[in-house]
PDB file of all heavy atoms in Angstrom:
ATOM      1  N   LEU H 330       1.632  -3.098  -6.931  1.00 98.00           N
ATOM      2  CA  LEU H 330       0.392  -2.202  -6.899  1.00 98.00           C
ATOM      3  C   LEU H 330       0.394  -1.573  -8.248  1.00 98.00           C
ATOM      4  O   LEU H 330       1.323  -1.021  -8.880  1.00 98.00           O
ATOM      5  CB  LEU H 330       0.592  -1.152  -5.851  1.00 98.00           C
ATOM      6  CG  LEU H 330      -0.529   0.035  -5.808  1.00 98.00           C
ATOM      7  CD1 LEU H 330      -1.851  -0.615  -5.197  1.00 98.00           C
ATOM      8  CD2 LEU H 330      -0.066   1.204  -4.973  1.00 98.00           C
ATOM      9  N   LEU H 331      -0.891  -1.700  -8.846  1.00 98.00           N
ATOM     10  CA  LEU H 331      -1.064  -1.089 -10.135  1.00 98.00           C
ATOM     11  C   LEU H 331      -2.158   0.017 -10.026  1.00 98.00           C
ATOM     12  O   LEU H 331      -3.067  -0.194  -9.270  1.00 98.00           O
ATOM     13  CB  LEU H 331      -1.566  -2.128 -11.131  1.00 98.00           C
ATOM     14  CG  LEU H 331      -0.561  -3.280 -11.424  1.00 98.00           C
ATOM     15  CD1 LEU H 331      -1.078  -4.201 -12.476  1.00 98.00           C
ATOM     16  CD2 LEU H 331       0.816  -2.742 -11.891  1.00 98.00           C
ATOM     17  N   SER H 332      -2.063   0.990 -10.913  1.00 96.00           N
ATOM     18  CA  SER H 332      -3.077   2.114 -11.012  1.00 96.00           C
ATOM     19  C   SER H 332      -3.914   2.024 -12.246  1.00 96.00           C
ATOM     20  O   SER H 332      -3.484   1.652 -13.265  1.00 96.00           O
ATOM     21  CB  SER H 332      -2.381   3.438 -11.036  1.00 96.00           C
ATOM     22  OG  SER H 332      -1.574   3.685  -9.883  1.00 96.00           O
ATOM     23  N   TYR H 333      -5.221   2.079 -11.975  1.00 95.00           N
ATOM     24  CA  TYR H 333      -6.281   2.024 -13.031  1.00 95.00           C
ATOM     25  C   TYR H 333      -7.045   3.345 -12.905  1.00 95.00           C
ATOM     26  O   TYR H 333      -7.975   3.426 -12.033  1.00 95.00           O
ATOM     27  CB  TYR H 333      -7.076   0.850 -12.807  1.00 95.00           C
ATOM     28  CG  TYR H 333      -6.459  -0.484 -12.797  1.00 95.00           C
ATOM     29  CD1 TYR H 333      -5.845  -1.077 -11.709  1.00 95.00           C
ATOM     30  CD2 TYR H 333      -6.321  -1.233 -14.017  1.00 95.00           C
ATOM     31  CE1 TYR H 333      -5.192  -2.305 -11.809  1.00 95.00           C
ATOM     32  CE2 TYR H 333      -5.668  -2.449 -14.134  1.00 95.00           C
ATOM     33  CZ  TYR H 333      -5.167  -2.991 -13.016  1.00 95.00           C
ATOM     34  OH  TYR H 333      -4.515  -4.232 -13.075  1.00 95.00           O
ATOM     35  N   SER H 334      -6.807   4.305 -13.690  1.00 89.00           N
ATOM     36  CA  SER H 334      -7.535   5.554 -13.654  1.00 89.00           C
ATOM     37  C   SER H 334      -7.515   5.992 -12.189  1.00 89.00           C
ATOM     38  O   SER H 334      -6.499   6.348 -11.617  1.00 89.00           O
ATOM     39  CB  SER H 334      -8.887   5.358 -14.170  1.00 89.00           C
ATOM     40  OG  SER H 334      -9.630   6.560 -14.238  1.00 89.00           O
ATOM     41  N   ASP H 335      -8.690   6.039 -11.539  1.00 84.00           N
ATOM     42  CA  ASP H 335      -8.804   6.548 -10.120  1.00 84.00           C
ATOM     43  C   ASP H 335      -8.561   5.498  -9.101  1.00 84.00           C
ATOM     44  O   ASP H 335      -8.265   5.808  -7.877  1.00 84.00           O
ATOM     45  CB  ASP H 335     -10.090   7.158  -9.867  1.00 84.00           C
ATOM     46  CG  ASP H 335     -10.111   8.722 -10.094  1.00 84.00           C
ATOM     47  OD1 ASP H 335      -9.038   9.205 -10.226  1.00 84.00           O
ATOM     48  OD2 ASP H 335     -11.282   9.206 -10.031  1.00 84.00           O
ATOM     49  N   ALA H 336      -8.471   4.240  -9.508  1.00 93.00           N
ATOM     50  CA  ALA H 336      -8.297   3.251  -8.557  1.00 93.00           C
ATOM     51  C   ALA H 336      -6.931   2.688  -8.482  1.00 93.00           C
ATOM     52  O   ALA H 336      -6.226   2.667  -9.417  1.00 93.00           O
ATOM     53  CB  ALA H 336      -9.294   2.133  -8.782  1.00 93.00           C
ATOM     54  N   ARG H 337      -6.567   2.116  -7.411  1.00 96.00           N
ATOM     55  CA  ARG H 337      -5.336   1.286  -7.265  1.00 96.00           C
ATOM     56  C   ARG H 337      -5.686  -0.134  -6.821  1.00 96.00           C
ATOM     57  O   ARG H 337      -6.573  -0.236  -5.953  1.00 96.00           O
ATOM     58  CB  ARG H 337      -4.307   2.032  -6.325  1.00 96.00           C
ATOM     59  CG  ARG H 337      -3.870   3.349  -6.906  1.00 96.00           C
ATOM     60  CD  ARG H 337      -2.885   3.989  -5.964  1.00 96.00           C
ATOM     61  NE  ARG H 337      -2.289   5.276  -6.591  1.00 96.00           N
ATOM     62  CZ  ARG H 337      -1.328   5.818  -6.101  1.00 96.00           C
ATOM     63  NH1 ARG H 337      -0.562   5.387  -5.131  1.00 96.00           N
ATOM     64  NH2 ARG H 337      -0.873   6.906  -6.694  1.00 96.00           N
ATOM     65  N   VAL H 338      -4.926  -1.107  -7.258  1.00 97.00           N
ATOM     66  CA  VAL H 338      -5.244  -2.494  -6.779  1.00 97.00           C
ATOM     67  C   VAL H 338      -3.862  -3.091  -6.528  1.00 97.00           C
ATOM     68  O   VAL H 338      -2.932  -3.080  -7.388  1.00 97.00           O
ATOM     69  CB  VAL H 338      -5.914  -3.205  -7.975  1.00 97.00           C
ATOM     70  CG1 VAL H 338      -6.208  -4.648  -7.516  1.00 97.00           C
ATOM     71  CG2 VAL H 338      -7.273  -2.516  -8.404  1.00 97.00           C
ATOM     72  N   PHE H 339      -3.863  -3.787  -5.420  1.00 98.00           N
ATOM     73  CA  PHE H 339      -2.683  -4.582  -4.934  1.00 98.00           C
ATOM     74  C   PHE H 339      -2.812  -5.981  -5.557  1.00 98.00           C
ATOM     75  O   PHE H 339      -3.955  -6.509  -5.639  1.00 98.00           O
ATOM     76  CB  PHE H 339      -2.593  -4.687  -3.511  1.00 98.00           C
ATOM     77  CG  PHE H 339      -2.012  -3.551  -2.793  1.00 98.00           C
ATOM     78  CD1 PHE H 339      -2.870  -2.558  -2.169  1.00 98.00           C
ATOM     79  CD2 PHE H 339      -0.765  -3.329  -2.591  1.00 98.00           C
ATOM     80  CE1 PHE H 339      -2.259  -1.320  -1.611  1.00 98.00           C
ATOM     81  CE2 PHE H 339      -0.136  -2.268  -2.002  1.00 98.00           C
ATOM     82  CZ  PHE H 339      -0.907  -1.346  -1.431  1.00 98.00           C
ATOM     83  N   GLY H 340      -1.700  -6.650  -5.729  1.00 98.00           N
ATOM     84  CA  GLY H 340      -1.682  -8.023  -6.025  1.00 98.00           C
ATOM     85  C   GLY H 340      -1.768  -8.807  -4.756  1.00 98.00           C
ATOM     86  O   GLY H 340      -1.664  -8.158  -3.647  1.00 98.00           O
ATOM     87  N   GLY H 341      -1.890 -10.076  -4.815  1.00 98.00           N
ATOM     88  CA  GLY H 341      -2.173 -10.859  -3.541  1.00 98.00           C
ATOM     89  C   GLY H 341      -0.881 -11.097  -2.773  1.00 98.00           C
ATOM     90  O   GLY H 341      -0.992 -11.639  -1.685  1.00 98.00           O
TER      91      GLY H 341
END
Side-chain angles (χ1 to χ4, degrees):
Chain H
L330 175 71
L331 300 180
S332 294
Y333 298 87
S334 185
D335 262 354
R337 296 185 175 192
V338 182
F339 280 97

